[in-house]
Amino acid sequence: MPKDQYVLMMKSWMEAAKSCGQLAMAAMFLPVFVARDLLGVDKGAAMLNHINGSFLLAWAGFILAIALSHTYQISATTLIHSFEAKQPRLFPRLQFWLMVASLLGGMALFVNGSLEALHPST
C-alpha cells in the first residue's frame, strides 16, 4: 500500500476513534441526567443513593473507551510516522475494536441501570 493511501486510511480511523471518545465522554453524564430528570432527585441531594452498580460499571466502560481512543490515536500516529521503519508491532486494530466494545458495553450497562432505577425490584 502506498504511503499516501495508508496515511489517509489511518487518519480516517483516527477521526472515528476521536468521535468514539467524544461519545463516551458525553455518555458519562447520562446516569446523572436519568437520576435528576427521570427519578426526580433534587439538585442539592446526594447522588450516591440513586446510582446503582450498573451505572458504575457503565462509567468504567466509558472511561475505558476514552482511554483506548487516546491510545489508539497515539499508536496510529506512531505507525504513520514510522511507515517504512522496522519497529515492534503495535496493535491499533485491537485498541480500536476494544474501544468500540467498551463504548457499546457501557451503553448496554447504562440502559440496564436505567431500567433498574426506574423499576426497582422489591
Side-chain angles (χ1 to χ4, degrees):
M1 173 181 303
K3 184 174 182 174
D4 294 339
Q5 185 180 4
Y6 180 77
V7 168
L8 183 63
M9 178 188 67
M10 291 300 283
K11 285 186 179 184
S12 298
W13 284 91
M14 286 172 62
E15 189 65 33
K18 182 179 105 175
S19 297
C20 191
Q22 289 172 339
L23 282 171
M25 201 172 303
M28 290 188 68
F29 295 103
L30 288 174
V32 175
F33 292 142
V34 165
R36 297 273 190 229
D37 294 336
L38 297 179
L39 300 178
V41 177
D42 293 330
K43 289 191 178 191
M47 292 293 298
L48 191 57
N49 298 334
H50 303 283
I51 300 296
N52 57 34
S54 293
F55 283 158
L56 294 175
L57 290 173
W59 276 324
F62 296 145
I63 290 169
L64 181 62
I66 293 166
L68 287 170
S69 75
H70 291 296
T71 60
Y72 174 79
Q73 290 180 358
I74 291 168
S75 297
T77 303
T78 303
L79 287 172
I80 288 171
H81 290 299
S82 61
F83 179 71
E84 284 121 7
K86 298 285 183 190
Q87 64 175 11
R89 182 73 180 133
L90 298 173
F91 298 102
R93 286 185 189 141
L94 178 64
Q95 291 170 348
F96 184 87
W97 292 113
L98 283 175
M99 171 194 63
V100 171
S102 63
L103 177 65
L104 293 176
M107 291 303 292
L109 286 165
F110 164 72
V111 169
N112 185 46
S114 297
L115 292 174
E116 287 176 7
L118 292 172
H119 305 291
S121 60
T122 53

